C-alpha cells in the first residue's frame, strides 16, 4: 500500500554488520524485514538510507533459494508476491525490481489471480505498473519456457456471469446419404 | 493416458485420448478460462491492460493468437494484434497483418487475411474478415477452394469460388456466398448470384451435384437436384429432370419424422411425355407410426402404410430405378393397423397390387387381401414348460378371375400350436403339436359345384439336436470346432385339398431354414402331408479368442417314409424316398475373403433345383470383387458380378490409405461396375459400368448403363457427374444402384466426422 | 475324436445391459437366451457390469436377380448388427464389430404372398444365428 512508505522498518537476522564506507547496514542469515504490509525474506540484505530518509534495500537469496517479497495492493484485498535471485527495493520511487528467475504473482484472497515469469520484472507500486523483460540470451525464467521469453497468466475478472444454459436440441433427422431413397 | 486407468498390460502400449481432452469447450466453462501470455517483453497495469512484444502469444481455451505486438485489455477482453498475426481457433486458422478481437465473444475484424478451415481443409484469402461471434464470420471479396497448393509457381487451383462476400456459419455448418462465380480450370461455369454450400455433411439446403446424361430413350438428360432442409425433422429433395426427347419430369421426395410417426413420400409427375403421348406420374408413400386413441382400454394402435401406384404399364421401363418399390412390375398398396396388449395382438390389413402387365411376359397377378384380420394369442413358459399359441385369420381374397382362372373367396383359418422346448447348452429337444383348421366360401362354384370347403389338419413335429465341441486346428490356425447333429421328424396326415383353389401358397426354396420346417409350402392354402425324417449336421470353426465364426459347413437330407400327395394346382406328387442332399458352406477365413454357398444336389438326377454360390474378395478400401451364381430350376439362372477397383493399381500405384471415405489420394482412376446376366434369357440384363476420377478436390464420374426393358429392347444411357469436394453436398450420386448392388461399394468421399481440433494444434 | 457335449458358457460378468430398442425382435431374442442361460442377468444400464452398445440393428432386402422382362427373380435378405461391449466406465471389452448374415431367396411376382411368409422364416433363422454368435462373443471375453 502507499501508506507503507512512512511505516517503520524492522528487521530480524542472524547477524548485522554496519558498513561505514557505503553507509549501509548488511544483515546476514534468514533475514526477515517487515515494513507496514511489506514482507521481505532473503539470505543477505543491504539496507541504505538516503539523506531524505528514503530506504533502499538489495535482497540476495540464500544459496539454492529465492529472495521473497510480498506487499498488499492499495484499496483492494489483493497481495503482490514475488521471488527472484535478487530483489531491489527503491523506497523513493516505491518500485521493486526482481532480477533473474523472477516470478511475480497477484493473489486475490488465497487464489493466484495473475502470474508473470521472466528474467527481469519491475513493479511500480505507486502507478500499479509492471514490466516483464525476457532479457535475450538469459537463462529460461521457468521450466518449459525457452530462454529469453517471459510468460504471464491472467485469470478472468470474477464478475464474468455464466451464460443461460442452452435449450435441449429438438429431435434430429439423420441425413440419409442417398437421394434415391433407401431400397427398404 | 488417463493416470487413473490401471497400468496397461504387457504388449504394445496403446495411447488413447483421455475423455478429459474435450473437443468443444462448453459455453459455461469458457468465461472462467485463464489467459496465458508469453513474449520477449511485457508491461502493463494489472487488471487493465498488458502489452507484449517480441513474438507475442495469447492462448485461452481453444484460441491462440500470435503476433509481433499484442495488446490485451482485460476489462473488455479486447486483443489488438499487429505484425504477422496468426489465429488458430479450434483448428480454423487465419493469418494477416492486423487484428482486433474480443476473445470470448470472438467479435472483431481482421485485415487481408488468409484462412483455412479445419472442417474440409478449404482455404482462401480475402480483403477483410468481420468476426460476428464465435460461430459466424463474414469474409469480404473472398476466394474459397479445397484444392491444396502444389509446389511450383504456375500452380492454379482446379476450381475456385470468388465471391463478393462469404458468410461462414459454423453452427449451422453452412457457407453462404453472394455475388459468387465458380470457375473450373479457369472457366467460369457456375455464376451464381446467391449460393449456399455445406461446410460439413450436416443436412443443409442447397444444390446437389447435377447429373448430366445421354440416353437412347430420353435424349439429353439433365437433373439438378435441390435439397431443402425444412426443419431438423423434415426435409425435401426435388430432382427436376429435363429430357430432350420426352419433356420435363418433376420428381421429389419429402421426409418427415415426428414424435410418434415418420415417413417418406416420393412422387414424380411428367406432363405430356412425348414418348407415350400422355401424362406420366407415380407416387410411393412409406409411413409408420402409432396413434394414441386415448381410450383407456385401447391404448395406442400402430399404423403402417406402404402405398405405391403409377400411371401406366410402361412406367417401369421409362422411369428405370426411380420407384422405391423393389419389384418394379408389382406395386403393393399395403395398409395395416396393429394393436397388442400383453400376449394378445391384432392386425387389420388391406393389401392390393398393381401389376404392370406386358404382353410379351404376362404376370399372373397375386391376390389382394381386402381385408385381412389376424388375431394372435401366445403364452410362453406355461406350467410344465409348455409354450402355446393360437392364431386366427380371416381374409377376403380378390383378383382378376380371367387371369387367375379361380373364383375369389373368403377364407378363415385358425392355427393352434403347443410346444414343450427343452433347452440346454449341449442339446435341445422341441416336440410340437399343431392343428390347422380352414374354411372357404367361394363367390362362384368350383368344378365340383361346391361353394364352400373346409379342412382340418393336425401336425406333429419333433425337433432335436446335440452340440459337441472340441479344440482343433486347421491349416495352422487353432479353432474351437463344433459338431451339431440335428434330427427333425414331422408327421401330417393326408387331407384332400388338391382341387381347392390356391390363393397364397407356393413352394418354398429348399435351404437350411426350410428343410427343418413342417410345411413344404409357404402360405396357408396347402398343408403338405408328411411322414419324413430330416437328418443333418453342421460344423463351425470358431476363433477361440473372439468367438468369431471363421467357417461353417452343413449337410442335410430328408428320408421320406410316404409319398407327399398334396400338390399345388398342376403340381405332381413327390415320391422320392431320399430327398436331394443339401450342402452348405460359409467361409470367412480372412477379412478379405468371404464365400457363401448353398447347393442342393439330387444324386438320382445329378441336377440341382436350388443352388446359390457367392464369393467376395475385398483386400482394402475401394477394392472389392464379388460374384454370385443363383439357380432356381425352371425359373431363373442368374450370374451377378460386381466390382470396384482402382485402375492405378494396374501400374503399381497403390495410393495412400487415407482411411475410409477419403479416397486414396489425387489423380486416381477407379473402375466400378455391376453386371447381371440371365443365363435363361442369354442376355445381359442389368449392366452398369462406371469410371470415377479422384482429383483430390473434385471428383469426376462417367457411367454407362444398359437396362433390359423387355426380351427384345433395352435402355442405354451415359451419365456424367462433377462433385466439388467441400462445396457440393457429397454422397448423392447417380450410382445409387451401385451402392445397393455391389456389396462394400464405397463412395470416394463418405460422410466424414469432423477432424479433431487437436489435429491442427498450434 | 475329442468331441464333448458343450458345457454351459462361463461368463466373466454377472450382469449386462442390452442397448437394443424395445421393438427389436433380435434384441428380445438375445435377452431371452441370456436370461435362459441363468448365469447372467439382463439389467438396466446403471446396474450393469458390462454394457452392450448397439450401433446398427437393421434388416436389408436387395434385388440381386432380375430377368429380361423386368421381373425380380432373386432377393438377398441381410441382417446387419453392429455392436460394442464396454464397461460402464468406458473401457472397451469388444471393439465395434459387425455381424452380417445374408440369405438368398428366389422370387416370383405371382407367389409374393407366400414369399412374404418365407422371408420372415429366413429373417428368424438369421436372427437366431446372430444371437448364437453374440452369445459366443460375450462368452469369449476373458478379463473385465
Amino acid at each position: 500500500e502507499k501508506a507503507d512508505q512512512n511505516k517503520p522498518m524492522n528487521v530480524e537476522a542472524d547477524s548485522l554488520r554496519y558498513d561505514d564506507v557505503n553507509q549501509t547496514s548488511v544483515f546476514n542469515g534468514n533475514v526477515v524485514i517487515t515494513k507496514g504490509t511489506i514482507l521481505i525474506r532473503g539470505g543477505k540484505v543491504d539496507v541504505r538510507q538516503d539523506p531524505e530518509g528514503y530506504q533502499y534495500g538489495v535482497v540476495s537469496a540464500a544459496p539454492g533459494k529465492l529472495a521473497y517479497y510480498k506487499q498488499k495492493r492499495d484499496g483492494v484485498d489483493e497481495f503482490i508476491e514475488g521471488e527472484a535471485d535478487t530483489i531491489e527495493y527503491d523506497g523513493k520511487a516505491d518500485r521493486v525490481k526482481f532480477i533473474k528467475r523472477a516470478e511475480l504473482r497477484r493473489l486475490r484472497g488465497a487464489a493466484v489471480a495473475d502470474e508473470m515469469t521472466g528474467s527481469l520484472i519491475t513493479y511500480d507500486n505507486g502507478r500499479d505498473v509492471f514490466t516483464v523483460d525476457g532479457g535475450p540470451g538469459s537463462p529460461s525464467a521457468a521450466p518449459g519456457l525457452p530462454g529469453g521469453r517471459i510468460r504471464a497468466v491472467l485469470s478472468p475478472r470474477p464478475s464474468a456471469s455464466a451464460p443461460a444454459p442452452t435449450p435441449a436440441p429438438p429431435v434430429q433427422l439423420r441425413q440419409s446419404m442417398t437421394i434415391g431413397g433407401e431400397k427398404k | 493416458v488417463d493416470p487413473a486407468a490401471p497400468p496397461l498390460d504387457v504388449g504394445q502400449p496403446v495411447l488413447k485420448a483421455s475423455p478429459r481432452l474435450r473437443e468443444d469447450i462448453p459455453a459455461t466453462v469458457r468465461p472462467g478460462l485463464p489467459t496465458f501470455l508469453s513474449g520477449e517483453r511485457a508491461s502493463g497495469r494489472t487488471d487493465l491492460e498488458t502489452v507484449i512484444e517480441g513474438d507475442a502469444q495469447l492462448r485461452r481455451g481453444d484460441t491462440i493468437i500470435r503476433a509481433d505486438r499484442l495488446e490485451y485489455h482485460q476489462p473488455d477482453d479486447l486483443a489488438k494484434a499487429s505484425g504477422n498475426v496468426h489465429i488458430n481457433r479450434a483448428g480454423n486458422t487465419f493469418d494477416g497483418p492486423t487484428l482486433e478481437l474480443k476473445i470470448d465473444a470472438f467479435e472483431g475484424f481482421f485485415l487481408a487475411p488468409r484462412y483455412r478451415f479445419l472442417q474440409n481443409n478449404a482455404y482462401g484469402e480475402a480483403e477483410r474478415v468481420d468476426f460476428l461471434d464465435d460461430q459466424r464470420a463474414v469474409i469480404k471479396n473472398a476466394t474459397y477452394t479445397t484444392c491444396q497448393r502444389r509446389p511450383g509457381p504456375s500452380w492454379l487451383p482446379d476450381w475456385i469460388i470468388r465471391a463478393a462476400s462469404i458468410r461462414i456459419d459454423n453452427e449451422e455448418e453452412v457457407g453462404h456466398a453472394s455475388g459468387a462465380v465458380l470457375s473450373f480450370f479457369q472457366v467460369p461455369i457456375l455464376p451464381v448470384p446467391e449460393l449456399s454450400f455445406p461446410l460439413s455433411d450436416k443436412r443443409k439446403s442447397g444444390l446437389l451435384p447435377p447429373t448430366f446424361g445421354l440416353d437412347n430413350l430420353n435424349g439429353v438428360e439433365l437433373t439438378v437436384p435441390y435439397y431443402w432442409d425444412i426443419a431438423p425433422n423434415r426435409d425435401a429433395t426435388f430432382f427436376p429432370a429435363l429430357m430432350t426427347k420426352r419433356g420435363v419430369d418433376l420428381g421429389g421426395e419429402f421426409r418427415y419424422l415426428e414424435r410418434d410417426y415418420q415417413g417418406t413420400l416420393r412422387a414424380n409427375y411428367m406432363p405430356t411425355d412425348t414418348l407415350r403421348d400422355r401424362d406420366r406420374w407415380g407416387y410411393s408413400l412409406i409411413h409408420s407410426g402409432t396413434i394414441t386413441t386415448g381410450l383407456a382400454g385401447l391404448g395406442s394402435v400402430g399404423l403402417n402404410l406402404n402405398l405405391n401406384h403409377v400411371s401406366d404399364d410402361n412406367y417401369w421401363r421409362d422411369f428405370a430405378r426411380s420407384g422405391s418399390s423393389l419389384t418394379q412390375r408389382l406395386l403393393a398398396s399395403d395398409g395395416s393397423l396393429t394393436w397388442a396388449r400383453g400376449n394378445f395382438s391384432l392386425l387389420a390389413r388391406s393389401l392390393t397390387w398393381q401389376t404392370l402387365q406386358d404382353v410379351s411376359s404376362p404376370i399372373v397377378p397375386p391376390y389382394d387381401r381386402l381385408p385381412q384380420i389376424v388375431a394372435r394369442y401366445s403364452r410362453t413358459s406355461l406350467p410344465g414348460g409348455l409354450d402355446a399359441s393360437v392364431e386366427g385369420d380371416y381374409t377376403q381374397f380378390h383378383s382378376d378371375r380371367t387371369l387367375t382362372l379361380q373364383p375369389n373367396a373368403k377364407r378363415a383359418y385358425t392355427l393352434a400350436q403347443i410346444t414343450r422346448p427343452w433347452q440346454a447348452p449341449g442339446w435341445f429337444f422341441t416336440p410340437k403339436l399343431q392343428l390347422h383348421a380352414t374354411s372357404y366360401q367361394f363367390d362362384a362354384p368350383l368344378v365340383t359345384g361346391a361353394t364352400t370347403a373346409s379342412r382340418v389338419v393336425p401336425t406333429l413335429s419333433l425337433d432335436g439336436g446335440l452340440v459337441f465341441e472340441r479344440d482343433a486346428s486347421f491349416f495352422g490356425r487353432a479353432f474351437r470346432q463344433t459338431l451339431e447333429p440335428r434330427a427333425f421328424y414331422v408327421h401330417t396326415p393326408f387331407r384332400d385339398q388338391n382341387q381347392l383353389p390356391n390363393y397364397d401358397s407356393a413352394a418354398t426354396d429348399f435351404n437350411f431354414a426350410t428343410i427343418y420346417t413342417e410345411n413344404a409350402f409357404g402360405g396357408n392354402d396347402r398343408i403338405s402331408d408328411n411322414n419324413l425324417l430330416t437328418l443333418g449336421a453342421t460344423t463351425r470353426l470358431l476363433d477361440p479368442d473372439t468367438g468369431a465364426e471363421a467357417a461353417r459347413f452343413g449337410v442335410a437330407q430328408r428320408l421320406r417314409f410316404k409319398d407327399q400327395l398334396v400338390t399345388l394346382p398342376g403340381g405332381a406328387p413327390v415320391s422320392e424316398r431320399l430327398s436331394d442332399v443339401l450342402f452348405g458352406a460359409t467361409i470367412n477365413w480372412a477379412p478379405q475373403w468371404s464365400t457363401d454357398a448353398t447347393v442342393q444336389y439330387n444324386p438320382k438326377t445329378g441336377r440341382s433345383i436350388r443352388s446359390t454360390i457367392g464369393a467376395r474378395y475385398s483386400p482394402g478400401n475401394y477394392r472389392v470383387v464379388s460374384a454370385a451364381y443363383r439357380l432356381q430350376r425352371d425359373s431363373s439362372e442368374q450370374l451377378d458380378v460386381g466390382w470396384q477397383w482402382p485402375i492405378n493399381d494396374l501400374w503399381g500405384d497403390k495410393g495412400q490409405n487415407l482411411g475410409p471415405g477419403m479416397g486414396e489420394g489425387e489423380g486416381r482412376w477407379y473402375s466400378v461396375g455391376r453386371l447381371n446376366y440371365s443365363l435363361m434369357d442369354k442376355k445381359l440384363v442389368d449392366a452398369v459400368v462406371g469410371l470415377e476420377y479422384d482429383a483430390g478436390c473434385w471428383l469426376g464420374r462417367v457411367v454407362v448403363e444398359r437396362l433390359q426393358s423387355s426380351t427384345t429392347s433395352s435402355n442405354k444411357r451415359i451419365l456424367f457427374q462433377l462433385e466439388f469436394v467441400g462445396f457440393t453436398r457429397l454422397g448423392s450420386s447417380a450410382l445409387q444402384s451401385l451402392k445397393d448392388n455391389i456389396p462394400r461399394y464405397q463412395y470416394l468421399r463418405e460422410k466424414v466426422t469432423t477432424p479433431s481440433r487437436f489435429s491442427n494444434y498450434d | 475324436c475329442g468331441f464333448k457335449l458343450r458345457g454351459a458358457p462361463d461368463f466373466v460378468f454377472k450382469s449386462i445391459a442390452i442397448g437394443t430398442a424395445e421393438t427389436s425382435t433380435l434384441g428380445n431374442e438375445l435377452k431371452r437366451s441370456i436370461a435362459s442361460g441363468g448365469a447372467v442377468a439382463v439389467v438396466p444400464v446403471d446396474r450393469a457390469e458390462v454394457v452392450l452398445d448397439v450401433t446398427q440393428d437393421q434388416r436389408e432386402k436387395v434385388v440381386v436377380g432380375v430377368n429380361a422382362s423386368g421381373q425380380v427373380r432373386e432377393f438377398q435378405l441381410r441382417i446387419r448388427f453392429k455392436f460394442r461391449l464396454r464397461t460402464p466406465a468406458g473401457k472397451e471389452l469388444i471393439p465395434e464389430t459387425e455381424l452380417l448374415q445374408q440369405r438368398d431367396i428366389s422370387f416370383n411376382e405371382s407367389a409374393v404372398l407366400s414369399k412374404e411368409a418365407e422371408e420372415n422364416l429366413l429373417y428368424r433363422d438369421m436372427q437366431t444365428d446372430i444371437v448364437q454368435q453374440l452369445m459366443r462373443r460375450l462368452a469369449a471375453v476373458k478379463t473385465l
Side-chain angles (χ1 to χ4, degrees):
Chain A
E1 284 173 345
K2 288 202 176 37
D4 293 343
Q5 260 187 334
N6 33 42
K7 282 279 173 38
M9 171 195 277
N10 41 52
V11 182
E12 297 153 31
D14 297 352
S15 67
L16 166 62
R17 185 169 51 76
Y18 184 71
D19 177 342
D20 210 8
V21 171
N22 308 331
Q23 295 243 321
T24 60
S25 33
V26 176
F27 301 90
N28 239 316
N30 309 330
V31 181
V32 176
I33 299 175
T34 52
K35 183 176 186 340
T37 64
I38 299 176
L39 166 67
I40 299 177
R41 273 203 299 268
K44 165 172 154 324
V45 178
D46 308 6
V47 177
R48 183 173 52 80
Q49 192 152 354
D50 70 359
E52 291 136 14
Y54 289 109
Q55 284 145 339
Y56 303 88
V58 175
V59 185
S60 24
K65 292 173 83 188
L66 287 176
Y68 175 79
Y69 173 89
K70 183 172 184 185
Q71 182 177 19
K72 185 175 179 311
R73 278 190 63 213
D74 219 355
V76 177
D77 174 17
E78 286 175 5
F79 281 84
I80 290 293
E81 183 188 67
E83 283 167 319
D85 280 359
T86 50
I87 299 181
E88 281 171 10
Y89 171 70
D90 175 341
K92 186 173 181 216
D94 196 0
R95 191 173 57 230
V96 188
K97 267 194 187 159
F98 300 83
I99 303 157
K100 284 201 199 64
R101 289 195 288 149
E103 210 174 305
L104 184 69
R105 282 183 296 277
R106 180 165 62 95
L107 307 176
R108 191 178 301 136
V112 174
D114 298 347
E115 190 185 339
M116 318 256 169
T117 47
S119 56
L120 165 65
I121 301 183
T122 60
Y123 176 67
D124 183 328
N125 187 17
R127 288 186 291 112
D128 203 2
V129 167
F130 62 89
T131 62
V132 184
D133 221 325
S138 61
S140 143
L145 190 63
R149 299 275 294 162
I150 60 110
R151 187 176 64 190
V153 177
L154 313 178
S155 62
R157 299 173 60 80
S159 61
S161 61
T166 51
V171 60
Q172 277 286 346
L173 186 68
R174 201 177 50 74
Q175 165 58 34
S176 105
M177 289 314 298
T178 59
I179 54 169
E182 238 80 38
K183 287 282 186 304
K184 264 278 185 321
Chain B
V1 177
D2 184 353
L8 297 179
D9 49 19
V10 177
Q12 227 269 347
V14 174
L15 203 58
K16 284 194 184 126
S18 123
R20 288 202 299 274
L21 208 54
R22 284 197 63 82
E23 273 296 330
D24 57 339
I25 309 235
T28 50
V29 167
R30 194 175 282 274
L33 292 175
T35 313
F36 296 88
L37 304 165
S38 75
E40 269 143 28
R41 284 172 313 288
S43 62
R45 284 173 299 154
T46 47
D47 265 351
L48 290 178
E49 92 278 336
T50 314
V51 176
I52 300 185
E53 278 135 343
D55 189 5
Q57 274 187 26
L58 179 147
R59 183 187 294 273
R60 173 194 289 165
D62 57 2
T63 310
I64 171 168
I65 301 176
R66 267 211 308 265
D68 297 347
R69 186 175 186 287
L70 193 60
E71 266 177 54
Y72 177 58
H73 298 270
Q74 243 168 320
D76 44 21
D77 186 25
L78 174 64
K80 285 195 183 124
S82 52
N84 21 38
V85 183
H86 169 79
I87 304 183
N88 181 331
R89 164 75 184 223
N92 301 325
T93 61
F94 300 85
D95 292 82
T98 57
L99 157 83
E100 262 189 44
L101 183 70
K102 287 193 164 67
I103 299 177
D104 257 357
F106 214 79
E107 250 176 65
F109 65 87
F110 200 140
L111 296 185
R114 291 186 316 284
Y115 40 83
R116 177 177 290 276
F117 299 120
L118 171 71
Q119 186 77 58
N120 45 32
N121 214 5
Y123 67 97
E125 56 210 22
E127 191 189 300
R128 175 191 166 97
V129 172
D130 285 306
F131 299 107
L132 307 177
D133 62 24
D134 60 353
Q135 296 292 347
R136 271 160 283 277
V138 177
I139 313 172
K140 293 265 184 326
N141 167 359
T143 67
Y144 176 93
T145 179
T146 52
C147 301
Q148 301 312 320
R149 172 168 288 280
R150 270 203 291 277
S154 64
W155 178 83
L156 284 173
D158 293 352
W159 64 270
I160 191 160
I161 300 172
R162 287 188 181 75
S165 89
I166 298 183
R167 190 171 177 288
I168 298 288
D169 182 334
N170 280 328
E171 200 165 17
E172 294 295 320
E173 293 186 344
V174 76
H176 188 85
S178 40
V181 174
L182 167 66
S183 48
F184 184 52
F185 286 97
Q186 286 68 48
V187 173
I189 59 168
L190 203 60
V192 180
E194 285 303 317
L195 176 84
S196 62
F197 53 90
L199 290 185
S200 75
D201 288 302
K202 201 167 154 218
R203 290 178 19 257
K204 199 239 19 53
S205 305
L207 287 177
L208 304 183
T211 316
F212 178 78
L214 298 172
D215 183 311
N216 64 345
L217 205 62
N218 311 340
V220 176
E221 183 183 351
L222 177 67
T223 316
V224 184
Y226 179 82
Y227 177 80
W228 179 25
D229 171 19
I230 307 164
N233 58 352
R234 259 180 241 110
D235 67 15
T237 314
F238 305 103
F239 19 89
L242 165 69
M243 309 178 193
T244 51
K245 274 190 183 168
R246 292 171 57 187
V248 176
D249 173 32
L250 306 172
E253 178 185 84
F254 168 66
R255 303 188 315 165
Y256 51 93
L257 170 67
E258 302 299 335
R259 197 168 51 83
D260 15 319
Y261 62 89
Q262 62 181 355
T264 307
L265 172 65
R266 279 173 61 81
N268 85 314
Y269 172 68
M270 184 167 193
T272 60
D273 176 358
T274 50
L275 186 66
R276 311 276 180 191
D277 292 336
R278 51 160 299 170
D279 289 1
R280 317 290 299 274
W281 53 266
Y283 71 85
S284 97
L285 168 70
I286 298 172
H287 173 97
S288 68
T290 55
I291 309 162
T292 47
T293 56
L295 305 172
L298 202 53
S300 68
V301 174
L303 169 68
N304 283 294
L305 294 174
N306 178 2
L307 310 176
N308 301 281
H309 211 71
V310 291
S311 53
D312 56 285
D313 280 356
N314 287 315
Y315 184 89
W316 66 279
R317 266 197 199 99
D318 305 342
F319 295 92
R321 295 197 207 290
S322 69
S324 66
S325 158
L326 286 172
T327 49
Q328 40 187 346
R329 287 190 57 193
L330 182 68
L331 305 179
S333 288
D334 178 357
S336 65
L337 284 170
T338 53
W339 176 81
R341 171 67 54 84
N343 298 316
F344 187 73
S345 72
L346 203 60
L347 163 79
R349 180 185 189 194
S350 114
L351 170 61
T352 58
W353 301 98
Q354 179 186 12
T355 313
L356 306 185
Q357 288 299 356
D358 176 352
V359 67
S360 65
S361 64
I363 296 178
V364 173
Y367 277 86
D368 297 344
R369 292 176 187 262
L370 288 167
Q372 173 186 19
I373 318 277
V374 181
R376 200 166 203 297
Y377 180 77
S378 66
R379 287 292 300 277
T380 54
S381 53
L382 289 165
L386 288 167
D387 288 357
S389 77
V390 177
E391 182 180 288
D393 175 309
Y394 167 77
T395 310
Q396 286 190 349
F397 289 103
H398 179 272
S399 184
D400 178 348
R401 268 205 289 272
T402 59
L403 291 173
T404 60
L405 311 176
Q406 282 181 171
N408 295 331
K410 300 185 176 73
R411 180 192 73 182
Y413 79 80
T414 48
L415 169 62
Q417 182 174 296
I418 296 178
T419 66
R420 175 46 175 104
W422 277 280
Q423 185 92 19
W427 56 278
F428 73 93
F429 179 64
T430 321
K432 179 192 295 183
L433 201 58
Q434 276 182 341
L435 186 66
H436 196 290
T438 321
S439 78
Y440 294 90
Q441 209 184 0
F442 307 108
D443 65 359
L446 297 181
V447 116
T448 60
T451 58
T452 63
S454 71
R455 172 196 60 196
V456 176
V457 186
T459 302
L460 163 71
S461 77
L462 306 169
D463 188 358
L466 302 168
V467 181
F468 296 99
E469 274 191 5
R470 71 173 179 180
D471 290 329
S473 80
F474 295 91
F475 308 114
R477 249 174 92 175
F479 287 109
R480 186 81 181 142
Q481 183 182 11
T482 74
L483 178 62
E484 298 160 47
R486 182 175 178 183
F488 175 75
Y489 172 76
V490 62
H491 177 71
T492 315
F494 171 73
R495 291 291 181 276
D496 187 8
Q497 51 197 295
N498 285 354
Q499 43 2 34
L500 288 181
N502 167 29
Y503 297 100
D504 70 351
S505 274
T508 53
D509 286 359
F510 191 43
N511 56 39
F512 278 93
T514 57
I515 198 170
Y516 294 112
T517 51
E518 289 78 4
N519 190 356
F521 301 106
N524 292 289
D525 280 332
R526 286 298 183 274
I527 315 284
S528 58
D529 57 322
N530 294 322
N531 186 352
L532 58 83
L533 177 65
T534 304
L535 293 174
T538 310
T539 174
R540 301 170 203 262
L541 300 182
L542 304 166
D543 180 313
D545 309 331
T546 65
E549 195 177 271
R552 172 205 327 202
F553 302 94
V555 68
Q557 186 166 31
R558 258 187 194 156
L559 293 88
R560 198 180 291 282
F561 306 121
K562 181 177 81 52
D563 289 1
Q564 177 193 319
L565 303 175
V566 171
T567 63
L568 288 168
V574 179
S575 55
E576 292 99 349
R577 283 294 171 267
L578 273 174
S579 83
D580 297 355
V581 183
L582 195 56
F583 296 104
T586 312
I587 303 169
N588 297 310
W589 197 262
Q592 299 87 345
W593 275 104
S594 102
T595 54
D596 199 328
T598 313
V599 176
Q600 165 231 357
Y601 178 71
N602 182 331
K604 256 209 313 299
T605 62
R607 287 168 20 133
S608 156
I609 296 178
R610 173 60 178 168
S611 303
T612 57
I613 303 164
R616 185 185 63 241
Y617 173 63
S618 73
N621 284 330
Y622 308 105
R623 286 169 180 77
V624 66
V625 178
S626 81
Y629 166 79
R630 295 185 182 88
L631 164 72
Q632 177 66 23
R633 186 63 62 196
D634 311 328
S635 160
S636 75
E637 195 172 358
Q638 304 273 20
L639 202 58
D640 190 13
V641 175
W643 75 89
Q644 177 182 28
W645 208 271
I647 301 177
N648 297 39
D649 276 15
L650 303 185
W651 53 77
D653 159 12
K654 286 277 188 287
Q656 314 123 15
N657 178 358
L658 306 175
M662 288 307 291
E664 286 189 324
E666 289 176 14
R668 289 181 64 74
W669 294 87
Y670 296 83
S671 88
V672 180
R674 180 273 173 103
L675 305 174
N676 195 312
Y677 184 80
S678 161
L679 292 142
M680 288 179 80
D681 304 324
K682 296 272 175 299
K683 276 220 171 31
L684 195 59
V685 170
D686 181 350
V688 178
V689 180
L691 205 59
E692 288 182 292
Y693 178 67
D694 178 351
C697 59
W698 59 275
L699 305 174
R701 190 170 284 124
V702 177
V703 167
V704 176
E705 212 175 46
R706 184 185 180 288
L707 214 58
Q708 199 66 26
S709 58
S710 78
T711 45
T712 53
S713 71
S714 68
N715 298 354
K716 288 176 276 300
R717 166 160 104 143
I718 303 179
L719 286 165
F720 307 94
Q721 195 177 40
L722 273 179
E723 277 185 33
F724 301 114
V725 171
F727 177 44
T728 48
R729 210 171 63 81
L730 303 175
S732 72
S733 120
L735 294 176
Q736 172 54 33
S737 67
L738 282 176
K739 178 83 177 168
D740 289 347
N741 299 323
I742 302 182
R744 294 194 199 277
Y745 167 79
Q746 288 171 301
Y747 285 120
L748 286 173
R749 291 297 180 281
E750 196 89 49
K751 187 165 147 49
V752 176
T753 53
T754 9
S756 149
R757 72 181 167 95
F758 298 104
S759 60
N760 182 8
Y761 197 75
D762 274 355
Chain C
C1 52
F3 274 113
K4 292 192 301 308
L5 269 184
R6 180 174 63 161
D10 46 6
F11 293 97
V12 82
F13 43 84
K14 292 288 167 285
S15 62
I16 183 169
I18 307 283
T20 53
E22 255 335 286
T23 57
S24 147
T25 50
L26 193 147
N28 297 339
E29 181 172 345
L30 177 62
K31 286 173 186 161
R32 258 202 318 276
S33 66
I34 289 181
S36 75
V40 177
V42 179
V43 295
V45 182
D46 42 24
R47 283 188 290 115
E49 263 175 84
V50 289
V51 175
L52 184 78
D53 290 336
V54 176
T55 46
Q56 198 174 19
D57 168 4
Q58 180 180 324
R59 288 183 172 193
E60 288 166 15
K61 176 177 175 183
V62 173
V63 175
V64 287
V66 179
N67 72 2
S69 23
Q71 291 164 308
V72 173
R73 283 297 167 263
E74 295 282 351
F75 277 118
Q76 184 167 76
L77 310 177
R78 301 186 194 121
I79 289 188
R80 208 178 286 275
F81 187 80
K82 263 198 199 139
F83 72 100
R84 208 164 58 92
L85 190 73
R86 59 176 171 82
T87 61
K91 176 167 180 280
E92 206 170 64
L93 301 171
I94 300 181
E96 170 142 296
T97 319
E98 178 183 88
L99 294 181
L100 175 68
Q101 281 287 321
Q102 59 190 34
R103 298 289 191 280
D104 291 330
I105 177 172
S106 71
F107 182 79
N108 183 315
E109 274 78 2
S110 312
V112 65
L113 298 181
S114 153
K115 286 294 173 184
E116 204 177 86
E118 193 179 340
E119 248 178 51
N120 289 333
L121 177 71
L122 286 178
Y123 273 127
R124 270 199 311 277
D125 183 64
M126 286 194 269
Q127 185 175 289
T128 315
D129 235 20
I130 285 194
V131 166
Q132 255 177 19
Q133 273 197 34
L134 255 176
M135 295 289 282
R136 287 184 186 279
R137 296 281 180 113
L138 295 178
V141 174
K142 296 289 182 299
T143 57
L144 260 193

